[in-house]
Amino acid sequence: MSMYLGFKQGYAMFSTKPEMLEMFGKWHFSKTAIMINGAITILAALLILSPKTFVWGNFLMAAGILMITCLHLLDKDLKGAAIELPFILLNLVIIYLQHPLKN
């Protein structure tokens, strides 16, 4: 699930969908920065697939979500930050549970 969400959001950022340009634009991210962020998110989603890179992929994904949460808090947007919390918690729980094919 985390891999699917990461790939979906990463692709939306990489292809500079209007909603991503609007969200990141309020934090003065350039189009290139949004595309780079999207590429990193897609990379994180792909890393989650392998048991050897599973934790690193989830760390990258959690870091991206934490960045967005912090940017919402800088704007005093509690609703935006609250929307991100379940996603970062999902990543932390997944890291704790580890890759299902590890053993």
Side-chain angles (χ1 to χ4, degrees):
M1 180 171 168
S2 179
M3 196 271 317
Y4 169 74
L5 291 173
F7 188 82
K8 181 180 168 201
Q9 290 303 104
Y11 181 76
M13 287 184 261
F14 188 76
S15 61
T16 59
K17 297 229 179 211
E19 58 270 12
M20 291 296 160
L21 291 175
E22 180 184 338
M23 182 175 83
F24 284 98
K26 67 183 174 186
W27 300 314
H28 309 292
F29 276 58
S30 69
K31 200 172 190 179
T32 304
I34 296 168
M35 290 176 72
I36 291 169
N37 197 26
I40 291 169
T41 304
I42 291 170
L43 174 67
L46 293 173
L47 288 173
I48 289 171
L49 292 174
S50 170
K52 289 186 177 196
T53 57
F54 178 78
V55 172
W56 292 108
N58 275 293
F59 279 156
L60 265 177
M61 193 78 69
I65 296 168
L66 182 61
M67 176 191 73
I68 292 169
T69 304
C70 291
L71 290 169
H72 279 299
L73 290 173
L74 281 172
D75 288 343
K76 307 237 185 295
D77 179 9
L78 292 177
K79 181 181 176 190
I83 289 170
E84 298 295 330
L85 287 179
F87 299 108
I88 196 160
L89 291 175
L90 175 67
N91 276 98
L92 296 176
V93 167
I94 289 171
I95 291 170
Y96 174 75
L97 293 175
Q98 298 184 3
H99 196 279
L101 302 176
K102 185 177 181 184
N103 294 327

